[in-house]
């Protein structure tokens, strides 16, 4: 039996109640419904705000991150007063302030193969607001095993995607991406950037799909992949079908290993380059060390902040082209924003026979933190 609406709920949701497709019955379905949002960042921000405002009776939020100042350009759920504090607590406080009729469940933890089924099981709809491939595969597979619809969204730079997976016998995420891309091929938003309003658009589309599933109205994105290009302000749609020959999902696996991004073992003896901390680089240079310093970021990043003793700027994707121009009689230090790209550049140069390579662990972010706090971070 669907729950009744209180008088103040009727007033709050009156614009919903005036829609004949929704009405009292649809609003009561929303009150009886439950949604779990995995991630409270760019996608989770508009999603959670609109689900709460719409009157979804129970909302679960999963995240283990804290609010950072760099989040606030797009993660409008949070505010400056919450910097340094858990995102799930910031999200819960905002939801409760927006709509006290909503029950909020907080999971201040990383979602893993060990806890995913337990966390997802109580909810009617799962919404994937994550930003990495291992977690997307994990959420998908857990939804398949539990028979839950998975409302998917992803963003990068100026483009976004959205779909509904595992709904009424429709395709799931593995029908779209049977295999993960090679590690490092797809940069994160922290490396590639993202237009701040983009997750607002895709997250709102995800919220729309979740509301339609809960109320049973309209046509969902199941079997369709919606593509959005913000620069051209253009939507496109691709058909998506189940692969009848694909192996079924029967259990949750090690998704970090599956995606080739397993945690490091800290046994670096086999690496063809030497990792060096920001403090070590500072102290050795102060003692007279004069390595050749190569910045492997993009030119527009160098306009934000640079190290004054850098000798050359060359993006990591093209660093092999200048291998013949690098000195062979000096140590070479490679650095980037946070370390990932300089590792790939060092590996590429080492494979070409260049030795005496050093990689700045943590990049300029570590340098700003441990050596020169006056530098901006991004």
């Amino acid at each position: 039996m669907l729950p009744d609406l209180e008088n103040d709920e009727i007033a709050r949701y009156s614009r919903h109640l005036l829609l004949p497709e929704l009405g009292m019955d649809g609003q009561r379905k929303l009150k009886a419904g439950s949604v779990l949002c995995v991630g409270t960042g760019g996608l989770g921000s508009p999603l959670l705000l609109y689900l709460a405002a719409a009157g979804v009776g129970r909302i679960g939020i999963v995240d283990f991150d804290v609010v950072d100042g760099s989040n606030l350009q797009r993660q409008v759920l949070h505010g400056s007063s919450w910097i340094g504090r858990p995102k799930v607590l910031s999200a819960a406080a905002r939801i409760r302030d927006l709509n006290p009729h909503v029950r909020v469940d907080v999971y201040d933890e990383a979602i893993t193969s060990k806890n995913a089924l337990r966390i997802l099981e109580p909810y009617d709809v799962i919404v994937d607001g994550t930003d990495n491939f291992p977690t997307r595969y994990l959420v998908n597979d857990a939804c398949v095993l539990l028979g839950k619809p998975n409302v998917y969204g992803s963003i990068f730079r100026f483009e976004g995607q959205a779909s509904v997976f595992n709904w009424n016998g429709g395709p799931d995420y593995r029908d779209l991406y049977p295999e993960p891309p090679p590690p490092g091929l797809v940069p994160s938003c922290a490396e590639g950037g993202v237009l701040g309003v983009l997750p607002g658009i895709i997250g709102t589309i995800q919220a729309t799909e979740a509301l339609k599933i809960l109320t049973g109205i309209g046509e969902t994105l199941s079997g369709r992949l919606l593509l959005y290009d913000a620069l051209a302000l253009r939507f496109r749609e691709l058909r998506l079908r189940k692969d009848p020959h694909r192996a079924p999902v029967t259990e949750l696996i090690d998704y970090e290993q599956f995606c080739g991004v397993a945690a490091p073992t800290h046994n670096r003896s086999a690496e063809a380059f030497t990792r060096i901390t920001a403090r070590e680089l500072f102290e050795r240079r102060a003692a007279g060390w004069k390595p050749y310093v190569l910045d492997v970021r993009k030119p527009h990043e160098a306009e934000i902040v640079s190290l004054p003793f850098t000798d050359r700027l060359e993006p990591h994707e093209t660093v092999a082209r200048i291998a013949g121009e690098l000195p062979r009689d000096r140590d070479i230090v490679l650095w980037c924003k946070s370390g990932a790209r300089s590792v790939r550049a060092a590996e590429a140069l080492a494979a070409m026979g260049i030795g005496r390579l050093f990689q700045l662990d943590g990049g300029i972010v570590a340098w700003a933190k441990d050596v020169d706090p006056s530098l901006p971070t991004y």
Side-chain angles (χ1 to χ4, degrees):
M1 179 179 295
L2 295 175
D4 293 327
L5 300 179
E6 300 174 7
N7 286 345
D8 59 341
E9 290 179 292
I10 291 175
R12 177 182 288 265
Y13 309 128
S14 62
R15 301 307 187 270
H16 273 179
L17 305 182
L18 293 172
L19 296 171
E21 296 86 353
L22 201 61
M24 286 288 288
D25 189 57
Q27 193 63 50
R28 292 169 66 200
K29 288 179 181 178
L30 291 179
K31 184 174 182 178
S34 58
V35 177
L36 177 76
C37 180
V38 185
T40 58
L43 293 172
S45 288
L47 168 72
L48 288 166
L49 288 171
Y50 277 107
L51 292 181
V56 174
R58 181 182 181 185
I59 296 176
I61 47 179
V62 190
D63 207 320
F64 66 97
D65 201 3
V66 298
V67 179
D68 184 84
S70 65
N71 301 150
L72 303 182
Q73 162 256 14
R74 63 203 175 280
Q75 299 181 17
V76 295
L77 184 65
H78 312 292
S80 297
S81 63
W82 282 90
I83 290 176
R85 300 165 68 184
K87 285 184 178 180
V88 287
L89 299 185
S90 169
R94 181 69 182 96
I95 291 171
R96 291 171 179 140
D97 181 56
L98 178 62
N99 191 345
H101 297 284
V102 175
R103 168 182 167 179
V104 184
D105 303 330
V106 172
Y107 302 91
D108 187 8
E109 56 188 300
I111 191 165
T112 68
S113 295
K114 294 181 179 180
N115 63 18
L117 297 179
R118 168 180 60 84
I119 293 175
L120 269 62
E121 198 279 330
Y123 299 92
D124 299 319
V125 179
I126 312 302
V127 184
D128 183 355
T130 63
D131 61 357
N132 63 87
F133 287 99
T135 309
R136 288 171 185 160
Y137 280 102
L138 168 60
V139 171
N140 176 81
D141 291 0
C143 285
V144 170
L145 292 175
L146 293 170
K148 308 280 185 182
N150 172 16
V151 182
Y152 160 77
S154 69
I155 54 171
F156 179 65
R157 293 177 58 82
F158 299 97
E159 299 177 348
Q161 300 179 354
S163 189
V164 172
F165 297 131
N166 200 48
W167 175 238
N168 287 342
D172 62 59
Y173 185 71
R174 287 181 179 270
D175 293 302
L176 177 62
Y177 295 111
E179 299 289 338
L185 180 64
V186 182
S188 67
C189 288
E191 289 185 347
V194 62
L195 184 67
V197 299
L198 178 63
I201 296 168
I202 301 301
T204 304
I205 290 172
Q206 290 179 279
T208 304
E209 295 302 286
L211 295 178
K212 290 193 298 184
I213 291 172
L214 289 175
T215 57
I217 64 173
E219 178 186 357
T220 74
L221 280 172
S222 179
R224 298 181 288 154
L225 179 67
L226 187 68
L227 305 176
Y228 174 64
D229 181 344
L231 286 181
L233 198 57
R234 180 177 294 117
F235 286 94
R236 293 188 298 125
E237 186 178 295
L238 301 178
R239 300 301 301 179
L240 183 62
R241 295 180 174 84
K242 288 186 70 68
D243 180 0
H245 305 294
R246 201 195 74 205
V249 175
T250 58
E251 62 179 349
L252 301 183
I253 59 175
D254 184 334
Y255 293 90
E256 297 285 326
Q257 183 181 65
F258 174 68
C259 294
V261 290
T265 63
H266 303 292
N267 179 11
R268 296 169 172 172
S269 59
E271 290 182 332
F273 58 90
T274 301
R275 297 178 187 248
I276 186 170
T277 67
R279 176 56 59 179
E280 288 171 337
L281 176 58
F282 172 78
E283 292 175 351
R284 291 185 62 176
R285 288 190 73 257
W289 187 39
K290 297 186 182 300
Y292 185 87
V293 180
L294 180 62
D295 179 352
V296 297
R297 299 175 302 156
K298 302 286 188 181
H300 64 272
E301 293 179 84
E303 296 177 3
I304 302 172
V305 59
S306 288
L307 297 180
F309 49 86
T310 298
D311 292 291
R312 183 163 183 170
L313 173 69
E314 183 70 32
H316 78 281
E317 304 99 326
T318 58
V319 74
R321 299 178 188 174
I322 65 163
E325 304 171 28
L326 298 176
R328 300 299 180 104
D329 58 346
R330 294 173 63 185
D331 294 328
I332 300 174
V333 173
L334 299 96
W335 69 277
C336 62
K337 176 187 175 182
S338 56
R341 285 174 285 176
S342 56
V343 165
R344 297 199 288 272
E347 291 172 341
L349 292 177
M352 300 181 71
I354 297 180
R356 302 175 64 172
L357 296 170
F358 294 79
Q359 181 263 339
L360 178 57
D361 232 359
I364 200 168
V365 173
W367 186 271
K369 176 183 177 183
D370 299 332
V371 176
D372 187 359
S374 69
L375 293 179
T377 57
Y378 65 100

Short mmCIF file of all heavy atoms in Angstrom, two decimals, residues 102-152:
data_model
loop_
_atom_site.label_atom_id
_atom_site.label_comp_id
_atom_site.label_asym_id
_atom_site.label_seq_id
_atom_site.Cartn_x
_atom_site.Cartn_y
_atom_site.Cartn_z
N VAL A 102 12.43 13.60 3.63
CA VAL A 102 13.23 12.54 3.02
C VAL A 102 14.09 11.84 4.07
O VAL A 102 14.74 12.49 4.89
CB VAL A 102 14.14 13.13 1.91
CG1 VAL A 102 15.07 12.06 1.35
CG2 VAL A 102 13.29 13.72 0.79
N ARG A 103 14.10 10.52 4.04
CA ARG A 103 15.02 9.74 4.87
C ARG A 103 16.36 9.65 4.13
O ARG A 103 16.40 9.29 2.95
CB ARG A 103 14.46 8.34 5.13
CG ARG A 103 15.48 7.38 5.74
CD ARG A 103 14.91 6.00 5.94
NE ARG A 103 15.97 5.03 6.23
CZ ARG A 103 15.76 3.73 6.46
NH1 ARG A 103 14.52 3.25 6.46
NH2 ARG A 103 16.78 2.93 6.71
N VAL A 104 17.44 9.96 4.81
CA VAL A 104 18.77 9.94 4.21
C VAL A 104 19.63 8.87 4.89
O VAL A 104 19.79 8.89 6.11
CB VAL A 104 19.47 11.31 4.32
CG1 VAL A 104 20.81 11.27 3.58
CG2 VAL A 104 18.59 12.42 3.76
N ASP A 105 20.15 7.95 4.09
CA ASP A 105 21.08 6.93 4.58
C ASP A 105 22.48 7.31 4.13
O ASP A 105 22.71 7.56 2.94
CB ASP A 105 20.74 5.54 4.02
CG ASP A 105 19.31 5.12 4.34
OD1 ASP A 105 18.80 5.53 5.40
OD2 ASP A 105 18.72 4.37 3.53
N VAL A 106 23.42 7.32 5.06
CA VAL A 106 24.78 7.75 4.78
C VAL A 106 25.73 6.57 4.84
O VAL A 106 25.75 5.82 5.83
CB VAL A 106 25.22 8.84 5.78
CG1 VAL A 106 26.70 9.15 5.62
CG2 VAL A 106 24.39 10.11 5.59
N TYR A 107 26.51 6.38 3.79
CA TYR A 107 27.55 5.35 3.74
C TYR A 107 28.88 6.05 3.48
O TYR A 107 29.25 6.32 2.33
CB TYR A 107 27.26 4.33 2.62
CG TYR A 107 25.93 3.64 2.75
CD1 TYR A 107 24.79 4.18 2.14
CD2 TYR A 107 25.79 2.47 3.48
CE1 TYR A 107 23.56 3.55 2.25
CE2 TYR A 107 24.56 1.83 3.60
CZ TYR A 107 23.45 2.38 2.99
OH TYR A 107 22.22 1.75 3.09
N ASP A 108 29.58 6.37 4.56
CA ASP A 108 30.85 7.07 4.47
C ASP A 108 31.96 6.04 4.28
O ASP A 108 32.77 5.79 5.18
CB ASP A 108 31.09 7.90 5.72
CG ASP A 108 32.33 8.79 5.62
OD1 ASP A 108 32.90 8.87 4.52
OD2 ASP A 108 32.72 9.38 6.65
N GLU A 109 31.99 5.43 3.13
CA GLU A 109 32.94 4.35 2.85
C GLU A 109 33.07 4.17 1.35
O GLU A 109 32.21 4.56 0.58
CB GLU A 109 32.48 3.04 3.50
CG GLU A 109 31.07 2.61 3.05
CD GLU A 109 30.54 1.42 3.83
OE1 GLU A 109 31.18 0.36 3.79
OE2 GLU A 109 29.48 1.57 4.49
N ALA A 110 34.16 3.56 0.95
CA ALA A 110 34.34 3.21 -0.46
C ALA A 110 33.49 1.99 -0.77
O ALA A 110 33.41 1.05 0.04
CB ALA A 110 35.81 2.92 -0.74
N ILE A 111 32.86 1.98 -1.93
CA ILE A 111 32.08 0.81 -2.32
C ILE A 111 33.03 -0.20 -2.95
O ILE A 111 33.85 0.13 -3.80
CB ILE A 111 30.94 1.20 -3.27
CG1 ILE A 111 29.97 0.03 -3.45
CG2 ILE A 111 31.44 1.74 -4.60
CD1 ILE A 111 28.65 0.43 -4.07
N THR A 112 32.94 -1.45 -2.49
CA THR A 112 33.86 -2.49 -2.93
C THR A 112 33.08 -3.76 -3.24
O THR A 112 31.87 -3.84 -2.99
CB THR A 112 34.89 -2.81 -1.82
OG1 THR A 112 34.21 -3.42 -0.71
CG2 THR A 112 35.59 -1.55 -1.34
N SER A 113 33.79 -4.76 -3.73
CA SER A 113 33.15 -6.05 -4.01
C SER A 113 32.64 -6.70 -2.74
O SER A 113 31.73 -7.54 -2.79
CB SER A 113 34.14 -6.98 -4.72
OG SER A 113 34.49 -6.46 -5.99
N LYS A 114 33.20 -6.33 -1.60
CA LYS A 114 32.79 -6.94 -0.33
C LYS A 114 31.51 -6.33 0.23
O LYS A 114 30.75 -7.02 0.91
CB LYS A 114 33.93 -6.81 0.69
CG LYS A 114 35.18 -7.61 0.33
CD LYS A 114 36.25 -7.46 1.41
CE LYS A 114 37.49 -8.27 1.06
NZ LYS A 114 38.55 -8.14 2.09
N ASN A 115 31.27 -5.04 -0.03
CA ASN A 115 30.10 -4.41 0.59
C ASN A 115 29.03 -3.97 -0.40
O ASN A 115 27.96 -3.51 0.00
CB ASN A 115 30.53 -3.20 1.43
CG ASN A 115 31.17 -2.09 0.61
OD1 ASN A 115 31.03 -2.02 -0.61
ND2 ASN A 115 31.90 -1.20 1.28
N ALA A 116 29.29 -4.10 -1.71
CA ALA A 116 28.38 -3.55 -2.71
C ALA A 116 26.98 -4.15 -2.62
O ALA A 116 25.97 -3.43 -2.65
CB ALA A 116 28.95 -3.75 -4.11
N LEU A 117 26.88 -5.46 -2.54
CA LEU A 117 25.56 -6.10 -2.51
C LEU A 117 24.78 -5.68 -1.28
O LEU A 117 23.57 -5.43 -1.35
CB LEU A 117 25.71 -7.62 -2.58
CG LEU A 117 26.35 -8.17 -3.86
CD1 LEU A 117 26.47 -9.69 -3.79
CD2 LEU A 117 25.56 -7.76 -5.10
N ARG A 118 25.47 -5.58 -0.16
CA ARG A 118 24.81 -5.15 1.09
C ARG A 118 24.28 -3.72 0.97
O ARG A 118 23.15 -3.43 1.39
CB ARG A 118 25.79 -5.25 2.26
CG ARG A 118 25.31 -4.55 3.53
CD ARG A 118 26.30 -4.68 4.66
NE ARG A 118 27.60 -4.10 4.35
CZ ARG A 118 27.88 -2.79 4.48
NH1 ARG A 118 26.93 -1.94 4.88
NH2 ARG A 118 29.09 -2.34 4.23
N ILE A 119 25.07 -2.84 0.39
CA ILE A 119 24.67 -1.43 0.29
C ILE A 119 23.56 -1.23 -0.73
O ILE A 119 22.60 -0.49 -0.50
CB ILE A 119 25.90 -0.57 -0.05
CG1 ILE A 119 26.90 -0.57 1.12
CG2 ILE A 119 25.47 0.87 -0.37
CD1 ILE A 119 28.19 0.18 0.83
N LEU A 120 23.65 -1.90 -1.88
CA LEU A 120 22.67 -1.68 -2.96
C LEU A 120 21.33 -2.35 -2.70
O LEU A 120 20.29 -1.87 -3.17
CB LEU A 120 23.23 -2.20 -4.29
CG LEU A 120 24.02 -1.21 -5.16
CD1 LEU A 120 25.28 -0.72 -4.43
CD2 LEU A 120 24.41 -1.84 -6.49
N GLU A 121 21.33 -3.45 -1.98
CA GLU A 121 20.15 -4.32 -1.89
C GLU A 121 18.87 -3.61 -1.44
O GLU A 121 17.78 -3.89 -1.99
CB GLU A 121 20.45 -5.50 -0.97
CG GLU A 121 19.50 -6.66 -1.11
CD GLU A 121 18.20 -6.44 -0.34
OE1 GLU A 121 18.24 -5.73 0.70
OE2 GLU A 121 17.15 -6.96 -0.78
N PRO A 122 18.88 -2.67 -0.48
CA PRO A 122 17.60 -2.10 0.00
C PRO A 122 16.93 -1.12 -0.95
O PRO A 122 15.79 -0.69 -0.68
CB PRO A 122 18.02 -1.37 1.29
CG PRO A 122 19.37 -1.89 1.65
CD PRO A 122 20.01 -2.24 0.35
N TYR A 123 17.56 -0.74 -2.06
CA TYR A 123 17.06 0.37 -2.86
C TYR A 123 16.40 -0.09 -4.16
O TYR A 123 16.80 -1.09 -4.76
CB TYR A 123 18.20 1.36 -3.15
CG TYR A 123 18.77 1.93 -1.87
CD1 TYR A 123 19.85 1.31 -1.24
CD2 TYR A 123 18.20 3.04 -1.27
CE1 TYR A 123 20.36 1.79 -0.05
CE2 TYR A 123 18.70 3.53 -0.07
CZ TYR A 123 19.77 2.90 0.54
OH TYR A 123 20.26 3.39 1.73
N ASP A 124 15.41 0.70 -4.59
CA ASP A 124 14.69 0.38 -5.82
C ASP A 124 15.50 0.72 -7.08
O ASP A 124 15.45 0.00 -8.06
CB ASP A 124 13.37 1.16 -5.87
CG ASP A 124 12.45 0.84 -4.71
OD1 ASP A 124 12.35 -0.35 -4.35
OD2 ASP A 124 11.84 1.78 -4.15
N VAL A 125 16.20 1.82 -7.04
CA VAL A 125 16.95 2.32 -8.19
C VAL A 125 18.36 2.68 -7.74
O VAL A 125 18.55 3.29 -6.68
CB VAL A 125 16.28 3.56 -8.82
CG1 VAL A 125 17.08 4.08 -10.00
CG2 VAL A 125 14.85 3.24 -9.26
N ILE A 126 19.35 2.31 -8.55
CA ILE A 126 20.73 2.68 -8.28
C ILE A 126 21.17 3.69 -9.33
O ILE A 126 20.93 3.49 -10.53
CB ILE A 126 21.67 1.45 -8.34
CG1 ILE A 126 21.09 0.29 -7.52
CG2 ILE A 126 23.07 1.83 -7.89
CD1 ILE A 126 20.84 0.60 -6.06
N VAL A 127 21.79 4.77 -8.91
CA VAL A 127 22.28 5.78 -9.84
C VAL A 127 23.80 5.87 -9.70
O VAL A 127 24.32 6.06 -8.61
CB VAL A 127 21.65 7.16 -9.58
CG1 VAL A 127 22.13 8.16 -10.63
CG2 VAL A 127 20.13 7.07 -9.60
N ASP A 128 24.48 5.70 -10.81
CA ASP A 128 25.94 5.70 -10.84
C ASP A 128 26.44 7.11 -11.12
O ASP A 128 26.35 7.60 -12.24
CB ASP A 128 26.43 4.73 -11.92
CG ASP A 128 27.94 4.60 -11.97
OD1 ASP A 128 28.62 5.34 -11.25
OD2 ASP A 128 28.44 3.76 -12.73
N GLY A 129 27.00 7.75 -10.09
CA GLY A 129 27.57 9.07 -10.25
C GLY A 129 29.08 9.04 -10.09
O GLY A 129 29.67 10.05 -9.66
N THR A 130 29.71 7.92 -10.42
CA THR A 130 31.15 7.76 -10.21
C THR A 130 31.94 8.26 -11.41
O THR A 130 31.38 8.59 -12.46
CB THR A 130 31.49 6.29 -9.93
OG1 THR A 130 31.16 5.49 -11.08
CG2 THR A 130 30.70 5.77 -8.74
N ASP A 131 33.26 8.27 -11.26
CA ASP A 131 34.11 8.83 -12.29
C ASP A 131 35.27 7.92 -12.66
O ASP A 131 36.28 8.39 -13.17
CB ASP A 131 34.67 10.19 -11.85
CG ASP A 131 35.53 10.09 -10.59
OD1 ASP A 131 35.65 8.98 -10.04
OD2 ASP A 131 36.09 11.12 -10.17
N ASN A 132 35.14 6.62 -12.40
CA ASN A 132 36.24 5.71 -12.75
C ASN A 132 35.67 4.37 -13.20
O ASN A 132 34.58 3.96 -12.78
CB ASN A 132 37.19 5.53 -11.56
CG ASN A 132 36.52 4.88 -10.38
OD1 ASN A 132 36.46 3.65 -10.28
ND2 ASN A 132 35.97 5.68 -9.46
N PHE A 133 36.43 3.68 -14.03
CA PHE A 133 35.94 2.45 -14.64
C PHE A 133 35.78 1.29 -13.65
O PHE A 133 34.78 0.56 -13.74
CB PHE A 133 36.85 2.04 -15.80
CG PHE A 133 36.69 2.92 -17.00
CD1 PHE A 133 37.59 3.95 -17.25
CD2 PHE A 133 35.63 2.74 -17.88
CE1 PHE A 133 37.42 4.78 -18.36
CE2 PHE A 133 35.46 3.55 -18.98
CZ PHE A 133 36.36 4.58 -19.22
N PRO A 134 36.69 1.07 -12.72
CA PRO A 134 36.47 -0.05 -11.79
C PRO A 134 35.14 0.04 -11.04
O PRO A 134 34.43 -0.95 -10.91
CB PRO A 134 37.67 0.05 -10.83
CG PRO A 134 38.74 0.70 -11.64
CD PRO A 134 38.03 1.68 -12.51
N THR A 135 34.79 1.24 -10.56
CA THR A 135 33.55 1.38 -9.81
C THR A 135 32.34 1.26 -10.71
O THR A 135 31.29 0.72 -10.31
CB THR A 135 33.52 2.71 -9.05
OG1 THR A 135 34.72 2.87 -8.30
CG2 THR A 135 32.34 2.75 -8.07
N ARG A 136 32.43 1.71 -11.95
CA ARG A 136 31.30 1.57 -12.87
C ARG A 136 31.00 0.10 -13.16
O ARG A 136 29.84 -0.31 -13.19
CB ARG A 136 31.58 2.31 -14.18
CG ARG A 136 31.53 3.83 -14.05
CD ARG A 136 32.02 4.51 -15.29
NE ARG A 136 32.08 5.96 -15.13
CZ ARG A 136 32.81 6.76 -15.89
NH1 ARG A 136 33.54 6.25 -16.88
NH2 ARG A 136 32.83 8.06 -15.68
N TYR A 137 32.05 -0.68 -13.38
CA TYR A 137 31.84 -2.12 -13.59
C TYR A 137 31.29 -2.78 -12.33
O TYR A 137 30.42 -3.66 -12.40
CB TYR A 137 33.14 -2.79 -14.03
CG TYR A 137 33.46 -2.61 -15.50
CD1 TYR A 137 34.41 -1.68 -15.91
CD2 TYR A 137 32.82 -3.36 -16.48
CE1 TYR A 137 34.71 -1.50 -17.25
CE2 TYR A 137 33.11 -3.19 -17.83
CZ TYR A 137 34.06 -2.27 -18.21
OH TYR A 137 34.35 -2.10 -19.55
N LEU A 138 31.80 -2.38 -11.18
CA LEU A 138 31.31 -2.95 -9.92
C LEU A 138 29.84 -2.64 -9.72
O LEU A 138 29.04 -3.54 -9.40
CB LEU A 138 32.14 -2.37 -8.76
CG LEU A 138 31.60 -2.62 -7.35
CD1 LEU A 138 31.49 -4.11 -7.06
CD2 LEU A 138 32.48 -1.92 -6.32
N VAL A 139 29.44 -1.38 -9.89
CA VAL A 139 28.04 -1.00 -9.71
C VAL A 139 27.17 -1.75 -10.71
O VAL A 139 26.09 -2.26 -10.36
CB VAL A 139 27.87 0.53 -9.86
CG1 VAL A 139 26.40 0.91 -9.90
CG2 VAL A 139 28.57 1.26 -8.71
N ASN A 140 27.61 -1.82 -11.94
CA ASN A 140 26.84 -2.54 -12.96
C ASN A 140 26.62 -4.00 -12.56
O ASN A 140 25.49 -4.52 -12.60
CB ASN A 140 27.55 -2.48 -14.30
CG ASN A 140 26.85 -3.30 -15.37
OD1 ASN A 140 25.88 -2.86 -15.97
ND2 ASN A 140 27.33 -4.52 -15.61
N ASP A 141 27.70 -4.68 -12.21
CA ASP A 141 27.60 -6.11 -11.92
C ASP A 141 26.76 -6.37 -10.68
O ASP A 141 25.99 -7.35 -10.63
CB ASP A 141 29.00 -6.71 -11.75
CG ASP A 141 29.77 -6.74 -13.08
OD1 ASP A 141 29.21 -6.30 -14.09
OD2 ASP A 141 30.93 -7.19 -13.06
N ALA A 142 26.88 -5.51 -9.68
CA ALA A 142 26.05 -5.66 -8.49
C ALA A 142 24.58 -5.46 -8.84
O ALA A 142 23.70 -6.18 -8.33
CB ALA A 142 26.48 -4.67 -7.41
N CYS A 143 24.27 -4.50 -9.71
CA CYS A 143 22.89 -4.29 -10.14
C CYS A 143 22.36 -5.50 -10.89
O CYS A 143 21.20 -5.90 -10.72
CB CYS A 143 22.79 -3.04 -11.01
SG CYS A 143 22.90 -1.48 -10.11
N VAL A 144 23.19 -6.10 -11.74
CA VAL A 144 22.78 -7.29 -12.48
C VAL A 144 22.47 -8.43 -11.53
O VAL A 144 21.43 -9.10 -11.64
CB VAL A 144 23.87 -7.70 -13.50
CG1 VAL A 144 23.55 -9.06 -14.11
CG2 VAL A 144 23.99 -6.65 -14.60
N LEU A 145 23.34 -8.65 -10.56
CA LEU A 145 23.13 -9.76 -9.61
C LEU A 145 21.89 -9.53 -8.75
O LEU A 145 21.20 -10.48 -8.38
CB LEU A 145 24.36 -9.91 -8.72
CG LEU A 145 25.64 -10.40 -9.42
CD1 LEU A 145 26.81 -10.40 -8.45
CD2 LEU A 145 25.43 -11.80 -10.01
N LEU A 146 21.59 -8.27 -8.44
CA LEU A 146 20.45 -7.95 -7.58
C LEU A 146 19.17 -7.65 -8.36
O LEU A 146 18.10 -7.50 -7.76
CB LEU A 146 20.78 -6.75 -6.69
CG LEU A 146 21.86 -6.96 -5.63
CD1 LEU A 146 22.26 -5.62 -5.01
CD2 LEU A 146 21.38 -7.92 -4.54
N GLY A 147 19.28 -7.53 -9.69
CA GLY A 147 18.12 -7.21 -10.50
C GLY A 147 17.66 -5.77 -10.34
O GLY A 147 16.46 -5.48 -10.43
N LYS A 148 18.62 -4.85 -10.15
CA LYS A 148 18.28 -3.43 -9.95
C LYS A 148 18.56 -2.62 -11.21
O LYS A 148 19.56 -2.85 -11.90
CB LYS A 148 19.14 -2.85 -8.82
CG LYS A 148 19.12 -3.62 -7.51
CD LYS A 148 17.89 -3.34 -6.71
CE LYS A 148 17.96 -4.03 -5.35
NZ LYS A 148 16.74 -3.79 -4.55
N PRO A 149 17.72 -1.64 -11.53
CA PRO A 149 18.05 -0.72 -12.63
C PRO A 149 19.22 0.18 -12.25
O PRO A 149 19.34 0.62 -11.10
CB PRO A 149 16.76 0.08 -12.82
CG PRO A 149 16.07 0.01 -11.50
CD PRO A 149 16.41 -1.34 -10.92
N ASN A 150 20.08 0.44 -13.23
CA ASN A 150 21.29 1.22 -13.02
C ASN A 150 21.23 2.44 -13.93
O ASN A 150 21.34 2.32 -15.16
CB ASN A 150 22.51 0.35 -13.34
CG ASN A 150 23.82 1.11 -13.34
OD1 ASN A 150 23.91 2.21 -12.82
ND2 ASN A 150 24.85 0.51 -13.92
N VAL A 151 21.04 3.61 -13.36
CA VAL A 151 20.96 4.85 -14.13
C VAL A 151 22.38 5.41 -14.26
O VAL A 151 22.98 5.83 -13.28
CB VAL A 151 20.03 5.87 -13.47
CG1 VAL A 151 19.94 7.13 -14.33
CG2 VAL A 151 18.64 5.27 -13.26
N TYR A 152 22.88 5.41 -15.47
CA TYR A 152 24.29 5.69 -15.74
C TYR A 152 24.49 7.10 -16.30
O TYR A 152 23.68 7.61 -17.06
CB TYR A 152 24.81 4.67 -16.76
CG TYR A 152 26.06 5.05 -17.51
CD1 TYR A 152 27.31 4.97 -16.91
CD2 TYR A 152 25.98 5.49 -18.84
CE1 TYR A 152 28.46 5.32 -17.62
CE2 TYR A 152 27.12 5.82 -19.55
CZ TYR A 152 28.36 5.74 -18.93
OH TYR A 152 29.49 6.08 -19.63
#
